[in-house]
Amino acid sequence: MTEAISRCVRMDDWIFEIKLVRALKVDSYGQPYRAIAQLNVNGDFAFLDGSLHAGEEGFCAQDIATFQKFCQMLEVKELRLGTEPQLPNQQEVVEKIGKAARKIA
């Protein structure tokens, strides 16, 4: 899946806009998940501000890469990570989607 996902869909007199995404870390839908995360989308950036993990593990580099790929599909330019314990330990994180530039404090 590398196609762009439209964040706005018009149906009749309504425009549906994706603003909040709940992501599940699971092998197949409907099974117990290992983690859940909340991604808020606002304009050109997305903010990963909440996550819960079933075990002791937190987010790994592969998890962040997966969220980056999803943001690319939404044509989001920046992915910002919150400062909760399950996310990489940092003061400020700004991931530039589709660019090599990274600021990780």
Side-chain angles (χ1 to χ4, degrees):
M1 289 194 316
T2 57
E3 298 176 14
I5 299 171
S6 177
R7 283 191 276 161
C8 292
V9 176
R10 181 176 198 85
M11 295 181 120
D12 300 325
D13 292 340
W14 289 88
I15 294 178
F16 296 86
E17 182 179 19
I18 296 174
K19 291 300 236 175
L20 177 68
V21 175
R22 182 178 72 168
L24 305 173
K25 187 172 188 179
V26 64
D27 293 326
S28 62
Y29 188 77
Q31 298 297 312
Y33 45 83
R34 297 183 306 278
I36 185 170
Q38 180 172 300
L39 183 70
N40 288 289
V41 180
N42 186 7
D44 288 342
F45 77 91
F47 188 69
L48 180 59
D49 66 349
S51 68
L52 293 172
H53 300 263
E56 295 288 323
E57 69 183 48
F59 270 82
C60 66
Q62 179 60 42
D63 294 329
I64 300 302
T66 301
F67 275 81
Q68 287 177 317
K69 284 191 278 187
F70 181 73
C71 287
Q72 285 175 327
M73 293 174 69
L74 290 177
E75 298 179 340
V76 169
K77 295 184 175 138
E78 290 184 11
L79 170 60
R80 299 178 185 175
L81 306 180
T83 57
E84 67 173 88
Q86 290 85 359
L87 295 174
N89 188 11
Q90 61 205 354
Q91 291 296 320
E92 177 186 4
V93 174
V94 177
E95 295 287 345
K96 296 291 185 184
I97 304 302
K99 302 207 185 321
R102 295 174 69 150
K103 274 181 15 185
I104 301 178

